[in-house]
Amino acid sequence: MPKNSKVTQREHSGEHVTESVADLLALEEPVDYKQSVLNVAGEAGGKQKVVEEELDAEDRPAWNSKLQYILAQIGFSVGLGNIWRFPYLCQKNGGGAYLVPYLVLLIIIGIPLFFLELAVGQRIRRGSIGVWHYVCPRLGGIGFSSCIVCLFVGLYYNVIIGWSIFYFFKSFQYPLPWSECPVIRNGTVAVVEAECEKSSATTYFWYREALDISDSISESGGLNWKMTLCLLVAWSIVGMAVVKGIQSSGKVMYFSSLFPYVVLACFLVRGLLLRGAVDGILHMFTPKLDKMLDPQVWREAATQVFFALGLGFGGVIAFSSYNKQDNNCHFDAALVSFINFFTSVLATLVVFAVLGFKANIMNEKCVVENAEKILGYLNTNVLSRDLIPPHVNFSHLTTKDYMEMYNVIMTVKEDGFSALGLDPCLLEDELNKSVQGTGLAFIAFTEAMTHFPASPFWSVMFFLMLINLGLGSMIGTMAGITTPIIDTFKVPKEMFTVGCCVFAFFVGLLFVQRSGNYFVTMFDDYSATLPLTVIVILENIAVAWIYGTKKFMQELTEMLGFRPYRFYYYMWKFVSPLCMAVLTTASIIQLGVTPPGYSAWIKEEAAERYLYFPNWAMAILITLIAVATLPIPVVFILRHFHLLSDGSNTLSVSYKKGRMMKDISNLEENDETRFILSKVPSEAPSPMPTHRSYLGPGSTSPLETSGNPNGRYGSGYLLASTPESEL
């Protein structure tokens, strides 16, 4: 290249330089090098919209170590759902049989799509908005939808952390406040609280002391000041963890990601030593094979895979974007997926060991209560003593002895047996009681811990574990919001992060009303599931069918240094899109067939009752789903009709010291032209990055369109806008 070329002159400087191709060819000084462009197709009047993106990839924050990054991905993917939703789904959907559809869907959908998100984030080094604008500008709305879904999830997820904080502080007392029903004293008369007596101490504490819940979603009941304060504490913790980006959140992950495994290991050892723990574990792993053929089981397994790995949220992409481009994200995808599955199984073992212990306690309590009924019937001559086997000792009555009495009485008193009100007291019935979500953590598990020796210690450990699990997921959720917005709009990181936390706290007051738990159900069960499914399937289509699976595989080969297994090619191209299309259809059909509803706690009955959402709540739910998915068609329409620029109408070249290709300064005058405009890649090294913006189906090279002003978009293509230029 001639020595008077600005490329040669500035190659030895350390500053970023952007020059037009026209200037490189004509060796003319541009008026403003930051605004240099080449008008390939030209707009009317000769005006050219300028697009310039700073090459800040080298200045982008990076993880301090590979361990820190892996812990961040584990902290995001392993969350509260692993502790309470996965065990519930195992219990509900056939025990060990549920693991089969879950593993199959994890392999054909979960790991391939998790690898895909890791790869695009690491390759393009941007948040979700920048990534999907780069892959396919017309589907750039995927990134905005991901941000909105993250916002919806973060709003209610931090409320759950607030609940855990409340229970954590309540655990520093003995006995635990939910171990006994409160007693109301009126002078010399002491009466047990009726609502508690009808249900249980832990159930009463959860619904009345913690939530002070109303009877329906229509009854607001005002703010619960205790939970409002806990929500403020939760958002303060999250804000401090993420305010500096990965510089602050990365350090938090060392504790928040590892501490839950210490607690789970302690609970597993303690649980296995409990009487009845083996009964719970065997019940969990006993497969009910008929469940494997149930389509509903497969749909729930697929949904759990999405939520477990954090697919579609943007957090995976955000964390991966802070990696070096030569990082082995293929290994990361397999490792994090395996750890996630292992954690779910470990948590399930712990839960069922503890619930097996609780089931034995409740079964023994049932035997004692019914034995007292039988003694009463014997004393009043309702039952003959001849019905009691001679070896039965009421002072030391075993479950086996009670069942023998029960069967004899049921046989003899066939006609009037139901009037006696005796229960069979079967251990299997206790184990079959399905408790999901918050009920598992804040009712069933807390009740079991009241029977532990040193129960406050175990309660403190348990709720501290929940806080850390929630914090890890919230850090990833916040990254799914802040990283793409900061990358795209260049807003101040600290100010924007603090603003998000403050805004989310005030909106989150909706969930700390007395009816707030019902809104949590609305957001958790319905508002995010369908939008996430749509987001993930469009991500797959954008890469596999629009950008091109072969092209993407080639770029992965260049980035990783080896070619990924061909298995991923077929999964991305055919299997995963088909499975997700079926899942999306099933989700829509279920919403139409089964009206959305929630379990309401009725104070007078001291029991749950399933209620359907009222019309105004359905309107809110539909609005939430529409708002989460609306950016996708809006951005597509705007860019399809050229109402919103996709950055494809300008051409610029950016370079920095040490980034020019080898021997570029030795090119001859005519070689320089061929270097820039050659249509044959083999003639000269190409100055373009190995990755180009999507041109549309059937499009040719962007430089080939320079000679055809009537190309697909009627304009050239941006070079400097690529996140990681190879210049």
Side-chain angles (χ1 to χ4, degrees), residues 467-595:
I467 292 170
N468 280 275
L469 284 171
L471 179 60
S473 297
M474 274 302 300
I475 289 174
T477 302
M478 289 298 294
I481 300 172
T482 58
T483 298
I485 298 297
I486 292 171
D487 286 347
T488 304
F489 301 105
K490 309 299 180 186
V491 296
K493 180 192 301 180
E494 291 82 1
M495 185 181 301
F496 178 71
T497 302
V498 172
C500 282
C501 293
V502 173
F503 171 79
F505 166 73
F506 283 106
V507 177
L509 295 178
L510 171 71
F511 303 101
V512 291
Q513 303 175 96
R514 291 182 58 199
S515 60
N517 187 48
Y518 306 139
F519 287 96
V520 170
T521 301
M522 176 192 293
F523 275 69
D524 186 24
D525 292 350
Y526 301 104
S527 69
T529 303
L530 184 58
L532 271 181
T533 309
V534 173
I535 288 170
V536 173
I537 193 172
L538 289 177
E539 287 180 353
N540 200 162
I541 291 173
V543 172
W545 287 92
I546 299 179
Y547 188 79
T549 310
K550 291 183 178 179
K551 184 178 180 181
F552 185 60
M553 290 287 283
Q554 180 59 35
E555 292 193 358
L556 286 180
T557 303
E558 296 172 1
M559 182 174 72
L560 301 176
F562 63 90
R563 189 172 185 84
Y565 298 118
R566 197 158 184 82
F567 162 81
Y568 293 104
Y569 176 89
Y570 294 108
M571 293 300 105
W572 290 332
K573 191 78 172 179
F574 305 109
V575 179
S576 295
L578 179 61
C579 291
M580 288 186 295
V582 172
L583 175 62
T584 304
T585 304
S587 299
I588 295 174
I589 292 175
Q590 187 194 29
L591 284 176
V593 173
T594 307

Side-chain angles (χ1 to χ4, degrees), residues 385-408:
R385 293 188 179 273
D386 295 335
L387 299 178
I388 309 302
H391 64 276
V392 171
N393 183 355
F394 279 91
S395 300
H396 300 86
L397 188 64
T398 65
T399 303
K400 182 179 179 182
D401 290 341
Y402 172 76
M403 284 303 302
E404 187 175 350
M405 276 195 309
Y406 178 86
N407 290 329
V408 170

Side-chain angles (χ1 to χ4, degrees), residues 161-171 205 209-210 226-227 230:
I161 298 179
W163 296 341
S164 302
I165 292 173
F166 175 79
Y167 270 79
F168 172 75
F169 285 109
K170 285 289 186 179
S171 300
F205 186 87
E209 296 292 335
K226 293 178 290 187
M227 288 306 168
C230 290

Side-chain angles (χ1 to χ4, degrees), residues 144-160:
F144 290 99
S145 289
S146 294
C147 291
I148 295 173
V149 170
C150 279
L151 175 62
F152 288 169
V153 172
L155 288 175
Y156 75 82
Y157 205 88
N158 224 23
V159 174
I160 301 176

Side-chain angles (χ1 to χ4, degrees), residues 68-368:
Q68 188 181 74
Y69 164 68
I70 293 296
L71 290 178
Q73 291 286 14
I74 292 173
F76 176 51
S77 63
V78 176
L80 298 174
N82 297 76
I83 302 299
W84 60 43
R85 181 164 177 79
F86 188 89
Y88 160 72
L89 291 175
C90 281
Q91 183 183 28
K92 174 188 173 186
N93 296 320
Y98 174 74
L99 298 179
V100 175
Y102 185 86
L103 272 175
V104 170
L105 293 171
L106 179 66
I107 293 172
I108 67 175
I109 295 181
I111 295 178
L113 295 182
F114 189 60
F115 179 32
L116 184 147
E117 290 199 358
L118 290 178
V120 295
Q122 180 174 308
R123 174 64 183 88
I124 303 173
R125 307 197 74 186
R126 288 292 181 271
S128 56
I129 295 176
V131 160
W132 301 115
H133 168 74
Y134 185 68
V135 171
C136 176
R138 292 186 180 184
L139 291 180
I142 295 175
F144 290 99
S145 289
S146 294
C147 291
I148 295 173
V149 170
C150 279
L151 175 62
F152 288 169
V153 172
L155 288 175
Y156 75 82
Y157 205 88
N158 224 23
V159 174
I160 301 176
I161 298 179
W163 296 341
S164 302
I165 292 173
F166 175 79
Y167 270 79
F168 172 75
F169 285 109
K170 285 289 186 179
S171 300
F172 289 94
Q173 51 187 300
Y174 184 83
L176 291 171
W178 51 82
S179 60
E180 296 177 351
C181 285
V183 176
I184 302 175
R185 296 189 180 276
N186 185 7
T188 58
V189 180
V191 181
V192 176
E193 171 65 47
E195 186 180 3
C196 184
E197 189 175 23
K198 292 179 182 178
S199 54
S200 69
T202 51
T203 303
Y204 173 83
F205 186 87
W206 167 241
Y207 283 118
R208 191 55 52 211
E209 296 292 335
L211 300 181
D212 193 18
I213 200 165
S214 61
D215 286 352
S216 72
I217 195 173
S218 300
E219 301 174 25
S220 170
L223 290 177
N224 181 337
W225 68 268
K226 293 178 290 187
M227 288 306 168
T228 301
L229 183 60
C230 290
L231 180 63
L232 178 61
V233 173
W235 275 114
S236 299
I237 294 173
V238 170
M240 289 186 290
V242 302
V243 67
K244 296 291 185 181
I246 64 171
Q247 284 84 359
S248 57
S249 63
K251 296 179 177 62
V252 174
M253 287 297 184
Y254 283 110
F255 181 77
S256 65
S257 297
L258 294 176
F259 178 74
Y261 290 96
V262 176
V263 177
L264 283 175
C266 293
F267 266 100
L268 180 62
V269 173
R270 184 68 188 92
L272 291 176
L273 297 176
L274 294 172
R275 177 171 47 88
V278 176
D279 295 328
I281 294 175
L282 290 177
H283 175 78
M284 178 264 170
F285 280 109
T286 302
K288 300 177 180 63
L289 300 180
D290 58 309
K291 289 285 188 178
M292 292 175 56
L293 303 178
D294 188 350
Q296 177 69 9
V297 173
W298 287 81
R299 190 191 70 81
E300 291 186 346
T303 302
Q304 178 63 17
V305 167
F306 284 171
F307 277 92
L309 294 177
L311 299 176
F313 285 94
V316 173
I317 293 175
F319 282 159
S320 183
S321 71
Y322 298 113
N323 268 331
K324 295 180 180 180
Q325 286 208 351
D326 59 352
N327 174 64
N328 188 352
C329 57
H330 175 263
F331 171 78
D332 299 344
L335 177 64
V336 174
S337 299
F338 169 77
I339 292 176
N340 187 290
F341 176 70
F342 167 77
T343 306
S344 297
V345 175
L346 176 63
T348 303
L349 286 173
V350 171
V351 167
F352 276 91
V354 174
L355 291 184
F357 166 70
K358 173 180 173 289
N360 274 268
I361 295 292
M362 300 306 295
N363 191 59
E364 290 175 359
K365 183 179 178 181
C366 176
V367 169
V368 171

